[in-house]
Amino acid sequence: MPGGGDDVAEAGAAPEHLRQVVDSLQEVPAVLRNRHLDVLASNELARRLSAAFEPGVNLARYTFLNPVVPTLTTDWSRVAHLVAASLRTSLETNLEDSGFRALVGELAAQSQDFNRAWAGPRPERPGSGGLGWEHPVVGQMAMAYQELQACGETDGSVLVLWRAVDAVSAARLERLRTVGSTTLT
């Protein structure tokens, strides 16, 4: 499956205290990822928001190797550049990480979109902003996100919180809380 990664176990499991933070958040989608962009933990609302947020999924592989993703986002180029910028930032602090270099090499070999985004300019603030996408059950949503670096974590764990940016998206997010689990390809 695009986005899955056998290197999640190699990259490390979610620190228990951070997993507890993610699990305790009920009002906002929350995702814990490592420096390789592997999802280590996520709450139920995040998993309802996107299959990309299932534990074990690599967000970079999911973004660049899943052919459906560009059709679901309202600004594909921006999404691609944000994910590439997150990887580039991680590379700068983990130059000796062979798993990371292998991930970048895999994406470069399999995705022209990745190559364009990697070579392109960095977004001004890749750790926060807003994105829009089409959810298969509730429709188009505009969400803001904020990445929070977990201090003292050797794996570079980052907690990402999402919130609706307008009333329509807030209503759709509320609907996700009340509907059964959904699958986003």
Side-chain angles (χ1 to χ4, degrees):
M1 168 187 148
D6 296 331
D7 57 343
V8 174
E10 175 186 306
E16 185 57 32
H17 65 286
L18 294 176
R19 182 183 301 276
Q20 289 172 0
V21 169
V22 168
D23 290 342
S24 72
L25 296 169
Q26 301 299 313
E27 297 300 314
V28 297
V31 178
L32 181 66
R33 67 162 177 83
N34 66 12
R35 68 180 178 257
H36 296 146
L37 304 187
D38 297 317
V39 175
L40 301 177
S42 59
N43 64 11
E44 183 177 351
L45 190 53
R47 292 187 300 275
R48 288 182 179 193
L49 189 61
S50 175
F53 301 144
E54 287 288 336
V57 170
N58 178 276
L59 295 171
R61 285 187 184 103
Y62 188 91
T63 300
F64 292 108
L65 302 181
N66 185 336
V68 176
V69 173
T71 67
L72 296 175
T73 61
T74 59
D75 188 351
W76 166 243
S77 177
R78 185 164 187 277
V79 169
H81 281 87
L82 287 169
V83 173
S86 291
L87 284 174
R88 193 180 298 123
T89 299
S90 182
L91 176 63
E92 290 169 355
T93 57
N94 299 285
L95 289 173
E96 301 305 316
D97 184 337
S98 61
F100 182 81
R101 289 193 312 268
L103 173 60
V104 171
E106 173 189 349
L107 294 172
Q110 296 183 37
S111 173
Q112 288 303 310
D113 287 331
F114 173 77
N115 291 327
R116 281 188 289 277
W118 187 261
R122 285 187 197 203
E124 283 187 36
R125 296 182 53 172
S128 65
L131 297 171
W133 64 86
E134 186 73 26
H135 189 278
V137 174
V138 299
Q140 191 170 20
M141 300 178 70
M143 302 290 287
Y145 66 93
Q146 179 65 54
E147 293 184 347
L148 305 171
Q149 187 69 41
C151 295
E153 294 300 326
T154 59
D155 192 31
S157 298
V158 175
L159 178 65
V160 184
L161 303 175
W162 294 83
R163 67 172 177 77
V165 299
D166 57 35
V168 171
S169 295
R172 290 176 177 172
L173 186 61
E174 182 58 33
R175 184 165 172 230
L176 279 180
R177 282 189 188 91
T178 61
V179 297
S181 294
T182 60
T183 301
L184 177 63
T185 55

